[in-house]
Amino acid sequence: MLEEILRGKKKIKKMITKRFSIEGLHCANCALRAEKVLNKQPGVAAAVCNFAAAEVQVKYDPKATNAEQLAAAIDQAGYRLIITQQNEAETETRQRSEYHTARRNAVIAVLLSVIVTYLSMTDGGAWRGWVLWLLATPVVFVAGRQFFRNALRQARQGAADMDTLVALSTGISYSFSVFNLLFPEVLGRDAHLYFDSSCGVITFILIGRLLEARAKYGTAASLRKLMGLRPQETIRLKADGTQESIKIAEVRSGDVLVVRPGEKVPVDGTITAGSSYVDESLLSGEPVPVEKQVGSKVFEGTINQKGSFNFRAESVGNATILARIIALVQEAQNSKAPIRRLVDKVAGVFVPTVMLIALISFVAWLLFDNIPGDSVLTRALLSAVTVLVVACPCALGLATPTALMVGIGRAAEKGILVKDAEALERAKSIDTIVLDKTGTITEGRPDVEAVQGAMTAEQKRILVGLEQKSEHPLADAVVRHFADVEAAEIEVFQSRTGMGVEGAYQGQTYRVGNRKWMEELNLALPATDFSAEYTVIYFADAERVIAVLAIADRIKPTSVAAVKAFRREGLAVHLLTGDSERAAAALAQRLGIETFRGGVLPADKATYVKQLQAAGRRVAMVGDGINDSAALAAADLSIAMGRGSDVAMDVAQMTIIRSDLSQIPAAIRLSRRIVRVIRENLFWAFIYNLCLIPLAAGVLIPAFGLSLSPSLAAAAMALSSVSVVANSLRLRRA
């Protein structure tokens, strides 16, 4: 079994995950097709395409494929994968260039379309049709050439997307108009020209995409703000004592870097010379600068104040805390919410379905049209064209990712990291929250307040030696308390989860642990007068308890208010702690928590969560330590404190960077709002198509004489996409 696990881990290690910009996405079908193409490539484990961000995240085996091969596959599908790593400035330049191109095409289309529309409403002579043809041609085939080019690429692959619908609709109306202009005798008085319709469709779609591009650029504002925190250059101290300016990408672990007043810390590391105060508000949320001296840790993106210092680089590139935060935000924005999977399924069959409806509409009007007015062929063609134009799946494709991008970016600004979109949907339905004590409710930095029992100098050394080897927060408190005591060399050390630690010194066994363990060992416990608020640990040898230590971990100032906020949100609050039942009761009383349990082992926490779930509760677990990881994994929603262990943060679906419990109600409220906005977007997107497709097909003409022109259909389609993005942008104020 172990060998299988190890082999599995090896396999996982082979996989790498990369994020690429992708060009040519115009609708949800485009994103879905790009995904399918990449997922079919050998060595690709998973590909997720974000239509709103124009990005694709690919997990693949570098031995089986590479970025160039992926780009070639995407190119054949009609899209372009940007495989060169771009910095923020390059990305902005590319996006700006794309925006200017979109604006130029829109301006050309608008100017010419206005003239075409005006001339179409006049009673001009024989020359009018030829002028309309002359003006409409550059609109259709210059400003709108992208639609035909992309539609042709899709056709070669046996696929269809939004551009296919636009190309078909405008191409049909344009060709029909040219035919009527050249051969007016065929249809006689019904030989109408529809150059204005083909121009109007392209113009409105181009305007919509221009507005959509501007709005989508705004959805990534929060992420760009995070990216902007990363410095671009730094100063490296050379071996001969001279300084050189280098790019951040050139920094290597072990380099000694210089940070001057007002500069950002370039990477994570430890100060080797100098001192200063550093603004760490981006990580901690605290506005007061933190004093830094030799041996202090500094982090990328934090801002140095007045002093100067040198520090040794330790975590560089993507290993820094800020880089990990940015990566988490990007991954979350590119993840798929469960509700989006349904949208993808709908989008996958949407375009073919629309083309079928357009064909049915065309045939139906040819066969059954008995309404006076335009010729049968004219009405049939207009009906089919309008259906093709109005049924754009863009709004469906934008509904979920834009809300996720804005909402998750906004959460990151508030110090709340969301690992994936599924966490948002889970957060909205949470009705019970289970809290760990140490590091969650309390500061997580306990101190020894009292020691009962006389210890010899050697016994103190043994106690410190044992606690130095322990990873428990209480052990740190003991080591700090006896900071001037030299630790003894423990020969055989063993940690007993939920009990304590034991080890041998000069052949004798010594233990440090809780009351429960001491009682199991049948050791007599001395009487103490410590209050229930203290955590009591015992130091013993094989025969007797040598000393009793009272340790207190102060409650965070925000914890009491946080518990009240949980109740206002309608959440039942539970407290789990490894401390004694008395200590748990005292803490619960101070916080106003009615349900609590003390003396809980790590495995018991997970069992407790499962019991709540079995009773029909939707449980969120909040913790910060390795001992909480099993419970975090079992919960419906797992939340870790940012200052906790890496294991807890890896398991958790949400991380509170500032380790402030009061941020969790805000996170839950924001999650609920994001999900609400997604549902609003989807509702209006579905309603739009549900109402306008029948109208476009002419269903209401026989009864009410109501119909939709291709130009109005294009305007409605563009408006639907822009409105969805605009609704998502409201989350920036959340």
Side-chain angles (χ1 to χ4, degrees):
M1 176 65 87
L2 181 59
E3 289 179 2
E4 289 178 11
I5 292 171
L6 291 173
R7 282 199 299 270
K9 282 188 175 179
K10 244 179 181 177
K11 222 172 191 178
I12 291 170
K13 283 183 180 179
K14 286 183 183 178
M15 294 289 177
I16 62 172
T17 301
K18 282 193 176 182
R19 189 176 294 104
F20 305 100
S21 294
I22 185 168
E23 295 179 348
L25 301 181
H26 302 302
C27 65
N29 280 81
C30 298
L32 194 62
R33 174 155 176 76
E35 274 186 21
K36 288 180 177 177
V37 169
L38 289 171
N39 281 315
K40 288 180 181 177
Q41 301 308 305
V44 174
V48 179
C49 191
N50 187 333
F51 170 44
E55 283 187 345
V56 61
Q57 183 173 287
V58 189
K59 185 178 181 181
Y60 65 94
D61 184 351
K63 292 184 178 179
T65 188
N66 55 46
E68 287 74 17
Q69 289 173 319
L70 296 176
I74 280 293
D75 186 64
Q76 289 183 354
Y79 312 111
R80 179 174 171 243
L81 203 68
I82 301 174
I83 60 176
T84 55
Q85 191 67 34
Q86 294 183 314
N87 58 36
E88 187 66 12
E90 290 172 334
T91 301
E92 283 211 36
T93 300
R94 178 176 59 81
Q95 291 174 336
R96 196 179 297 112
S97 174
E98 292 173 356
Y99 173 73
H100 285 317
T101 301
R103 186 173 65 179
R104 182 198 65 205
N105 289 335
V107 168
I108 293 172
V110 168
L111 291 176
L112 293 177
S113 292
V114 167
I115 301 173
V116 168
T117 302
Y118 174 75
L119 291 177
S120 297
M121 294 186 299
T122 63
D123 295 325
W127 56 269
R128 183 175 68 98
W130 300 97
V131 173
L132 289 173
W133 187 12
L134 179 66
L135 294 175
T137 300
V139 175
V140 176
F141 297 109
V142 177
R145 67 183 181 278
Q146 57 184 293
F147 303 115
F148 296 92
R149 184 177 64 241
N150 294 335
L152 184 61
R153 285 179 180 172
Q154 294 299 315
R156 288 172 181 166
Q157 300 295 319
D161 62 6
M162 172 58 194
D163 285 346
T164 306
L165 301 182
V166 176
L168 278 174
S169 60
T170 56
I172 290 171
S173 57
Y174 178 87
S175 301
F176 186 57
S177 299
V178 172
F179 178 83
N180 287 340
L181 180 64
L182 296 176
F183 308 103
E185 66 278 1
V186 175
L187 293 177
R189 66 182 182 85
D190 290 322
H192 297 301
L193 304 180
Y194 296 99
F195 290 117
D196 58 328
S197 294
S198 54
C199 288
V201 168
I202 287 175
T203 300
F204 280 120
I205 291 175
L206 289 176
I207 292 173
R209 287 190 177 177
L210 180 65
L211 295 174
E212 185 183 297
R214 288 191 64 180
K216 284 199 294 183
Y217 187 68
T219 65
S222 299
L223 184 59
R224 288 198 302 274
K225 191 180 291 184
L226 281 174
M227 297 288 283
L229 295 172
R230 307 194 74 176
Q232 300 301 312
E233 293 184 347
T234 188
I235 297 171
R236 180 166 60 193
L237 193 65
K238 298 168 72 176
D240 60 3
T242 59
Q243 298 179 357
E244 62 176 341
S245 181
I246 61 172
K247 299 287 185 182
I248 294 298
E250 299 175 31
V251 177
R252 298 293 179 265
S253 183
D255 288 349
V256 177
L257 307 177
V258 180
V259 181
R260 295 172 298 199
E263 293 181 342
K264 291 180 179 178
V265 177
V267 296
D268 297 355
T270 302
I271 293 179
T272 57
S275 62
S276 184
Y277 285 85
V278 177
D279 180 359
E280 294 184 342
S281 57
L282 79 95
L283 297 176
S284 66
E286 298 295 330
V288 180
V290 180
E291 184 179 6
K292 299 291 183 179
Q293 298 176 338
V294 174
S296 298
K297 296 284 187 181
V298 288
F299 305 99
E300 180 189 12
T302 58
I303 303 172
N304 185 30
Q305 301 296 294
K306 296 181 179 180
S308 298
F309 59 85
N310 301 347
F311 78 99
R312 180 173 287 105
E314 294 173 348
S315 298
V316 302
N318 294 328
T320 68
I321 288 178
L322 181 58
R324 288 168 62 190
I325 290 172
I326 293 170
L328 279 171
V329 173
Q330 288 176 318
E331 285 178 21
Q333 289 181 337
N334 285 322
S335 65
K336 287 192 177 185
I339 197 169
R340 186 179 162 194
R341 297 186 190 115
L342 172 63
V343 175
D344 285 348
K345 289 180 181 178
V346 173
V349 298
F350 194 87
V351 171
T353 302
V354 168
M355 294 174 70
L356 180 62
I357 292 172
L359 180 62
I360 292 172
S361 176
F362 177 78
V363 173
W365 280 111
L366 281 181
L367 297 176
F368 304 109
D369 186 14
N370 58 2
I371 300 172
D374 292 333
S375 69
V376 172
L377 179 60
T378 299
R379 197 186 301 275
L381 278 173
L382 282 179
S383 173
V385 166
T386 308
V387 169
L388 292 172
V389 172
V390 81
C392 169
C394 291
L396 283 176
L398 290 167
T400 302
T402 54
L404 289 177
M405 289 180 66
V406 179
I408 290 172
R410 180 59 177 153
E413 288 180 4
K414 292 184 170 198
I416 304 163
L417 294 184
V418 182
K419 184 174 284 187
D420 54 45
E422 189 172 354
L424 297 173
E425 293 215 15
R426 290 188 174 193
K428 71 176 178 60
S429 58
I430 292 300
D431 55 28
T432 304
I433 188 157
V434 179
L435 304 175
D436 171 54
K437 174 197 166 189
T438 306
T440 303
I441 294 174
T442 61
E443 296 284 358
R445 192 181 183 275
D447 294 309
V448 177
E449 301 290 341
V451 179
Q452 182 178 305
M455 288 184 289
T456 66
E458 186 176 59
Q459 286 170 338
K460 289 180 181 178
R461 290 178 61 239
I462 296 168
L463 172 62
V464 173
L466 283 167
E467 294 292 67
Q468 273 189 351
K469 291 180 176 292
S470 175
E471 296 180 350
H472 199 282
L474 298 183
D476 293 335
V478 176
V479 173
R480 286 196 307 272
H481 186 76
F482 296 101
D484 57 342
V485 176
E486 184 182 354
E489 193 64 39
I490 303 301
E491 298 162 358
V492 182
F493 176 83
Q494 187 176 2
S495 177
R496 295 187 176 273
T497 305
M499 296 293 189
V501 296
E502 66 180 352
Y505 178 74
Q506 294 183 355
Q508 297 258 349
T509 301
Y510 294 89
R511 299 178 177 91
V512 184
N514 57 24
R515 183 185 184 95
K516 183 180 179 181
W517 193 22
M518 297 297 123
E519 288 175 344
E520 288 181 2
L521 294 168
N522 294 319
L523 296 177
L525 302 180
T528 63
D529 57 355
F530 301 137
S531 69
E533 294 183 17
Y534 290 107
T535 299
V536 179
I537 63 172
Y538 300 83
F539 174 44
D541 58 20
E543 298 177 354
R544 66 184 183 92
V545 173
I546 300 170
V548 185
L549 293 83
I551 302 174
D553 189 4
R554 286 175 292 181
I555 296 175
K556 293 177 182 177
T558 56
S559 292
V560 176
V563 172
K564 291 180 180 177
F566 290 141
R567 286 183 166 177
R568 285 196 299 271
E569 292 295 325
L571 302 175
V573 185
H574 296 237
L575 168 65
L576 297 182
T577 175
D579 290 348
S580 68
E581 197 73 24
R582 287 178 62 217
L587 180 63
Q589 187 177 11
R590 287 186 61 183
L591 294 168
I593 298 175
E594 295 179 0
T595 308
F596 61 89
R597 185 173 293 181
V600 180
L601 299 176
D604 296 333
K605 291 183 179 180
T607 302
Y608 188 86
V609 168
K610 291 174 181 177
Q611 288 173 346
L612 289 172
Q613 291 170 326
R617 312 293 292 183
R618 303 284 292 176
V619 183
M621 175 69 198
V622 186
D624 77 322
I626 296 174
N627 61 330
D628 301 318
S629 56
L632 288 168
D636 297 294
L637 177 67
S638 48
I639 305 173
M641 296 288 109
R643 295 175 188 170
S645 72
D646 289 343
V647 175
M649 284 186 279
D650 287 343
V651 173
Q653 295 166 300
M654 284 187 182
T655 299
I656 309 300
I657 298 175
R658 300 166 189 172
S659 292
D660 184 352
L661 206 59
S662 64
Q663 289 289 94
I664 296 177
I668 292 173
R669 285 195 299 272
L670 182 59
S671 299
R672 290 171 177 171
R673 189 166 178 185
I674 292 171
V675 174
R676 186 166 66 247
V677 167
I678 289 173
R679 289 180 172 175
E680 289 171 357
N681 287 348
L682 290 174
F683 173 79
W684 289 113
F686 276 115
I687 287 295
Y688 160 81
N689 283 292
L690 191 65
C691 294
L692 292 189
I693 288 179
L695 183 62
V699 171
L700 298 181
I701 292 178
F704 304 100
L706 295 177
S707 62
L708 196 63
S709 71
S711 298
L712 286 176
M717 182 271 293
L719 184 62
S720 69
S721 296
V722 174
S723 63
V724 163
V725 178
N727 190 45
S728 297
L729 286 173
R730 294 191 299 121
L731 290 168
R732 292 175 66 179
R733 300 189 299 271

